[in-house]
């Protein structure tokens, strides 16, 4: 089965990469860029027998830092 | 308006980060991880007047390297 895991910074956590992109877009002449947040996405191909609990554990143990990041699992 | 831009490596482009994650998951005892591809996601808050063409240009000029990466725009 194919999963997509989206990892984003929690609200309130500073995102310097996002801010840098926002300023760079402004510098390139794009107007009206009010906010940019950067995150990560992982596309996993897993054995069909993998349980939701195992996927959750993968996220918490390796893919996301749950102190500062949220994650979301989407089945494709 | 809020957009989500997903940037992933094109098929056929080596993804060492994804491979490292795949091996790390195996090392943590997770079985059946057949493939991992890593990508980036950007959540943009744009003025409602921003055209689709402008968004496309942002992707091509700054957010994605279209030589090796695909991008996909999703409206939220």
């Amino acid at each position: 089965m194919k999963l997509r895991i989206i990892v984003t910074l929690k609200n309130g956590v500073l995102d310097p990469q996002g801010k840098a992109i926002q300023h760079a877009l402004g510098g390139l002449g794009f107007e009206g860029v009010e906010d940019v947040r950067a995150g990560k996405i992982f596309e996993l191909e897993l054995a069909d027998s993998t349980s939701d609990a195992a996927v959750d554990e993968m996220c918490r143990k390796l893919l996301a830092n749950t102190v500062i990041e949220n994650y979301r699992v989407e089945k494709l």
Side-chain angles (χ1 to χ4, degrees), chain A:
Chain A
M1 65 179 174
K2 205 160 179 178
L3 292 180
R4 180 196 282 176
I5 292 164
I6 295 174
V7 178
T8 50
L9 285 170
K10 287 186 178 174
N11 283 335
V13 177
L14 285 178
D15 181 2
Q17 187 187 1
K19 282 283 166 242
I21 292 168
Q22 184 184 350
H23 289 136
L25 286 171
L28 286 170
F30 295 106
E31 285 171 19
V33 182
E34 286 151 24
D35 193 37
V36 180
R37 303 280 287 173
K40 290 170 283 186
I41 185 165
F42 304 104
E43 289 175 345
L44 274 68
E45 180 76 47
L46 298 176
D48 288 339
S49 57
T50 312
S51 67
D52 288 356
V55 173
D56 212 58
E57 208 181 332
M58 289 179 198
C59 295
R60 283 184 285 104
K61 278 200 177 163
L62 187 74
L63 302 177
N65 174 357
T66 54
V67 177
I68 56 167
E69 291 172 330
N70 290 320
Y71 64 89
R72 196 162 66 247
V73 179
E74 293 176 1
K75 302 211 172 185
L76 297 181

